[in-house]
Amino acid sequence: MRPNELSPLFASADTLKGVGPHVLTLLKKALKLPPGVIQPRIIDLLWHLPTGIIDRRAEPTVVAAIPGTIATLKVRVLKHKAPPRGNNKAPYKIATEDETGRLDLIFFRAERSFIERQLPVGEERYVSGRVERYGETLQMAHPDYIVAPEARDDLPLLEPVYPLTGGLSGKVMLKAERQALGKAPAFAEWQDPAWLKQRGWPSFGEALKRLHHPDDAADVSLGSAPLQRLAYDELLANQLALAIVRESFKAQRGRPVSGNGRLRAKIEAALPFKLTNSQVSALKEIGDDMGSPRRMLRLLQGDVGSGKTVVALMAMATAVEAGAQAALMAPTEVLARQHAETIAPLADAAGLRLGLLTGREKGRARDELLNRLASGEIDILVGTHALFQDDVVFRDLAFAVIDEQHRFGVHQRLALQTKGGQGGANMLVMTATPIPRTLLMTHYGDLEVSRLNEKPAGRKPITTKQIPKASLEKLIARIKVQLAEGAQVYWVCPLIESSDVSDLAAAEERHAHLTQILGEGVGLLHGGMNATAKDATMAAFADGNLKVLVATTVIEVGVNVPNANIMVIEHAERFGLAQLHQLRGRVGRGSRESFCMLLYQEPLSKTAEQRLKMMEDTEDGFLIAEKDLELRGGGEVLGARQSGEAEFRVAGGVNFSEMLQAAHDDARLIYQADPDLLSERGQALRRLLYLFECDEAIRLFRAA
């Protein structure tokens, strides 16, 4: 159970004054809610931090007010001049003055009774807003604040500026944030006092206060002490939670699995190439883990085309040699079928019985498959999320592989593991997105890591070139020549945001354009198509019946057409480096010379320029991943849209890598000294885990 003192923070935001159903809906759009949270809560407001400040501290006399600046003025109301009836376009004017001069307050489409209540004739008011000159007169249109002298303290002289959404005013957000701040209890300190002193950081409560109720404009600047303090709190919670999950997982008795090498030898003999050194060492690490009495959890990361699937198959064969079963789970149906097709000839050569289970298998065929699985007639089951379903029962699952790990949550990983019965299944997770060390710590800190950093023999280098959009017709002419020589081309259109044209419309337009020039043989593939149509289009391309495939980014992961040797990425400047690299990996799989053409729209931003240059300079996915992190900062991590990963709520930006490393080391020391978090600091750290909703770690504590 969550400690009582934290309950007010996890109450719905509509318990605050002024937050009704309409404002709650707007807050839902404006706040970055964590996965699974449907309605904004008070804690979500606290993590919604200002990005700037409006300084209202200047309090000149009217005559000294500088046009074009924000000022707070004390004035007396002289008279109201309402617009003529029926003329909505004319302004409502209120003449005011102080002892030095006159200021007109201007309102458009104003409600007369409201203004008369706010600004009664003959009374003094503080008004704050932008002062402008109109002819000889000073004006203030729609003052941001109008307060009576006795309510002077309600006027925020340093007003935080929050990210908003259409229909949500800064004033409403500020009011909600101030109330949320008042709900935060005082906490016992969970950080090491010497560390706080060294960094010059305030307490947690003081940091929150200085961000939402700043005393100085510097408080909300990037890299400010209050912001750094909260960012470090979040990173420490993340690292401590991963340490707890990992150690508790390691502590569970696993199931030693070792084979006699009989099936693996047959698979190796059937391979058209020799295993690379990194494949051999990864297999040894995996084999050692499988044979140990502890439960295995390992990440296999390898660049596109580094031979991860073969390593996974050899490891699964070990489980079958031991008399058990194995499973391979992929995030999409296309990728699951791709894996099954890649594995099938090698599995046949070794006498392994393969099954495929996706959402498409239904009725009698599905029942038959599940019966064969339960009786042990299937050695290896390849599938999608369908593998999680309750009626999918293995006779004896000893080893599970999850591909593209970042598309699945920890809970899904655990769900598949439990199908392994007593001792759970040994687990290997794979990713073709090379992950920088920093991000390995934040998102994969609970995993041991094996890395494939060589390409199998015979893989051809890919020539990558930047081409301005103005040279489009020249590029198409060159492609026409290549097609006549038997080439095949992927043409990718990007996801288009803030535009009237959807990515589908852009792809359809390009498809029509290329069909006009190149004739028949141009296919179209997009996310809106049903699975059967997608498969049919992909099959036609793989069989060579289509020469050009125009696609949205649905082809990013896992489509294998060895004859395709040209990749054109339209509006390449809109893609992240990791995604460009993934897309490029679709070519260079056959014997033909391969090309990747990065079509860009001028002018390029400095970051886009660096991205495209990096793509031209190297094919090393690990170098590219490090550069991607450097260009995007830690906050975006693997790119939320590409990976489904939640971003950090506070951390990211300044000193991200350095602070993450410190949090990683700190978490390890804490866990070694106080694994059950029972000390005084440990109890405070439990509060920190609750605050940042590190549910998996908290669940393990409660179970202990």
Side-chain angles (χ1 to χ4, degrees):
M1 291 292 289
R2 188 184 289 129
N4 285 337
E5 68 192 285
L6 293 180
S7 298
L9 295 182
F10 288 89
S12 173
D14 62 6
T15 57
L16 299 174
K17 202 174 163 194
V19 179
H22 177 60
V23 171
L24 195 68
T25 305
L26 295 174
L27 285 176
K28 190 174 173 180
K29 285 185 191 170
L31 305 181
K32 193 160 63 177
L33 299 179
V37 174
I38 298 159
Q39 293 291 18
R41 304 152 306 169
I42 286 164
I43 190 118
D44 301 315
L45 282 161
L46 291 181
W47 299 146
H48 188 70
L49 299 177
T51 51
I53 218 154
I54 297 171
D55 191 340
R56 303 187 183 282
R57 289 176 297 186
E59 293 193 52
T61 58
V62 169
V63 77
I66 300 166
T69 64
I70 300 276
T72 299
L73 305 167
K74 188 182 184 185
V75 294
R76 189 171 61 260
V77 180
L78 295 177
K79 64 173 183 180
H80 286 237
K81 187 185 174 190
R85 281 193 187 285
N87 185 353
N88 284 339
K89 289 181 182 173
Y92 190 123
K93 273 189 194 176
I94 295 122
T96 72
E97 66 173 8
D98 69 1
E99 63 279 6
T100 68
R102 186 174 144 175
L103 174 79
D104 284 348
L105 303 179
I106 307 292
F107 295 87
F108 291 92
R109 298 186 178 277
E111 190 189 318
R112 183 169 184 159
S113 60
F114 173 76
I115 291 182
E116 285 173 347
R117 279 198 311 276
Q118 290 275 300
L119 294 155
V121 173
E123 296 211 13
E124 287 189 325
R125 290 288 183 267
Y126 282 95
V127 293
S128 189
R130 190 170 296 280
V131 177
E132 299 288 2
R133 183 172 293 287
Y134 185 72
E136 293 300 306
T137 318
L138 280 180
Q139 287 188 346
M140 188 184 285
H142 290 273
D144 300 323
Y145 290 90
I146 302 167
V147 298
E150 61 273 17
R152 170 78 172 69
D153 291 346
D154 293 349
L155 206 160
L157 293 182
L158 279 174
E159 183 183 355
V161 177
Y162 293 95
L164 301 169
T165 189
L168 183 65
S169 74
K171 205 180 282 188
V172 168
M173 179 66 93
L174 180 66
K175 192 177 167 191
E177 292 283 5
R178 290 274 162 95
Q179 289 181 76
L181 188 60
K183 303 273 185 187
F187 290 105
E189 185 56 73
W190 46 71
Q191 297 293 1
D192 176 43
W195 170 245
L196 291 180
K197 191 175 177 189
Q198 182 197 331
R199 306 294 288 210
W201 287 346
S203 69
F204 175 78
E206 177 66 13
L208 268 182
K209 181 181 174 295
R210 280 170 57 185
L211 284 161
H212 290 294
H213 207 314
D215 296 326
D216 191 291
D219 284 344
V220 301
S221 64
L222 214 57
S224 73
L227 190 56
Q228 294 266 292
R229 159 72 211 236
L230 293 189
Y232 188 77
D233 283 336
E234 182 171 27
L235 291 173
L236 182 61
N238 167 276
Q239 291 300 295
L240 189 54
L242 283 173
I244 291 163
V245 171
R246 178 182 184 158
E247 294 305 322
S248 108
F249 185 88
K250 275 185 177 173
Q252 292 170 11
R253 266 200 72 69
R255 170 185 183 176
V257 177
S258 52
N260 55 17
R262 180 177 52 86
L263 298 173
R264 281 168 285 170
K266 288 182 179 176
I267 292 168
E268 197 167 347
L271 287 173
F273 50 78
K274 192 170 175 292
L275 291 173
T276 64
N277 292 334
S278 57
Q279 282 175 314
V280 171
S281 71
L283 280 166
K284 179 172 184 332
E285 288 166 350
I286 292 164
D288 289 348
D289 278 4
M290 288 175 80
S292 117
R294 294 184 325 185
R295 201 179 280 195
M296 167 186 166
L297 184 52
R298 181 170 284 276
L299 171 70
L300 177 65
Q301 63 163 343
D303 209 344
V304 174
S306 58
K308 290 183 302 302
T309 311
V310 169
V311 170
L313 177 61
M314 300 276 270
M316 290 191 287
T318 305
V320 181
E321 286 169 7
Q325 291 168 297
L328 191 164
M329 187 172 72
T332 65
E333 195 169 311
V334 170
L335 194 46
R337 290 184 182 281
Q338 184 84 58
H339 277 312
E341 282 163 24
T342 307
I343 289 169
L346 297 169
D348 285 348
L352 287 164
R353 296 164 299 179
L354 208 58
L356 176 67
L357 180 65
T358 68
R360 202 191 305 179
E361 278 67 47
K362 289 189 173 70
R364 186 180 295 173
R366 186 175 188 277
D367 293 343
E368 199 178 301
L369 180 79
L370 294 183
N371 288 334
R372 286 173 56 223
L373 183 71
S375 67
E377 288 171 51
I378 289 174
D379 297 317
I380 295 173
L381 182 64
V382 179
T384 56
H385 296 72
L387 267 60
F388 292 136
Q389 289 163 358
D390 291 341
D391 62 348
V392 178
V393 179
F394 291 81
R395 183 184 64 80
D396 184 15
L397 178 66
F399 188 73
V401 182
I402 297 187
D403 194 23
E404 291 306 326
Q405 140 79 7
H406 58 269
R407 295 177 183 231
F408 298 101
V410 174
H411 296 288
Q412 291 171 307
R413 199 165 71 203
L414 294 172
L416 185 56
Q417 233 149 4
T418 55
K419 289 190 180 284
Q422 207 166 12
N426 286 298
M427 182 74 71
L428 178 72
V429 294
M430 308 195 298
T431 178
T433 308
I435 305 163
R437 191 170 159 276
T438 325
L439 300 186
L440 275 174
M441 282 194 286
T442 54
H443 287 271
Y444 300 78
D446 56 336
L447 306 171
E448 302 289 348
V449 181
S450 294
R451 194 182 245 203
L452 300 181
N453 49 16
E454 304 164 80
K455 282 199 175 182
R459 277 283 177 137
K460 291 238 182 322
I462 301 164
T463 305
T464 303
K465 287 262 182 285
Q466 300 180 48
I467 298 177
K469 195 79 182 280
S471 304
L472 175 68
E473 299 307 327
K474 263 190 214 161
L475 173 65
I476 294 173
R478 276 164 62 195
I479 283 172
K480 203 170 184 179
V481 173
Q482 286 270 336
L483 291 175
E485 293 170 10
Q488 277 183 283
V489 182
Y490 287 108
W491 191 298
V492 178
C493 296
L495 177 74
I496 299 175
E497 291 172 337
S498 65
S499 161
D500 295 335
V501 188
S502 69
D503 56 332
L504 172 56
E508 284 176 333
E509 197 178 304
R510 181 60 64 223
H511 174 252
H513 176 218
L514 292 175
T515 303
Q516 203 176 350
I517 299 170
L518 304 173
E520 294 306 308
V522 181
L524 177 64
L525 187 72
H526 58 80
M529 292 162 68
N530 66 39
T532 313
K534 268 188 209 166
D535 284 357
T537 305
M538 258 337 295
F541 187 57
D543 296 343
N545 298 331
L546 291 176
K547 290 296 179 193
V548 180
L549 184 64
V550 178
T552 55
T553 51
V554 291
I555 63 146
E556 180 192 340
V557 174
V559 178
N560 189 19
V561 180
N563 191 54
N565 67 314
I566 299 172
M567 167 64 73
V568 179
I569 304 174
E570 197 163 339
H571 281 296
E573 76 279 2
R574 291 184 185 166
F575 291 92
L577 258 176
Q579 204 176 13
L580 287 171
H581 180 64
Q582 282 273 318
L583 288 166
R584 175 168 63 184
R586 298 296 109 220
V587 297
R589 292 167 172 244
S591 55
R592 302 179 66 89
E593 191 183 355
S594 294
F595 303 90
C596 177
M597 302 303 185
L598 305 172
L599 257 183
Y600 65 90
Q601 184 75 54
E602 294 175 297
L604 281 178
S605 70
K606 196 161 179 48
T607 305
E609 218 170 88
Q610 286 179 275
R611 267 195 220 122
L612 301 189
K613 173 89 171 67
M614 188 76 185
M615 287 293 292
E616 276 189 334
D617 290 350
T618 183
E619 273 189 75
D620 184 326
F622 292 104
L623 274 179
I624 284 171
E626 295 290 348
K627 184 70 173 177
D628 197 26
L629 179 66
E630 179 196 316
L631 292 177
R632 289 200 280 175
E636 201 178 321
V637 192
L638 288 162
R641 190 189 310 118
Q642 281 163 246
S643 67
E645 280 285 9
E647 296 176 21
F648 283 113
R649 308 192 76 185
V650 181
V654 181
N655 300 344
F656 179 79
S657 300
E658 177 206 331
M659 293 225 296
L660 179 62
Q661 183 63 61
H664 180 69
D665 296 344
D666 199 0
R668 289 180 85 151
L669 291 171
I670 289 164
Y671 192 84
Q672 282 162 14
D674 182 17
D676 297 319
L677 299 187
L678 295 173
S679 66
E680 200 176 324
R681 184 184 181 193
Q683 294 290 348
L685 283 161
R686 286 178 175 229
R687 300 286 188 275
L688 175 67
L689 290 172
Y690 275 109
L691 273 174
F692 283 101
E693 299 176 78
C694 298
D695 294 20
E696 202 59 39
I698 291 165
R699 190 182 63 75
L700 290 168
F701 268 129
R702 289 217 296 267

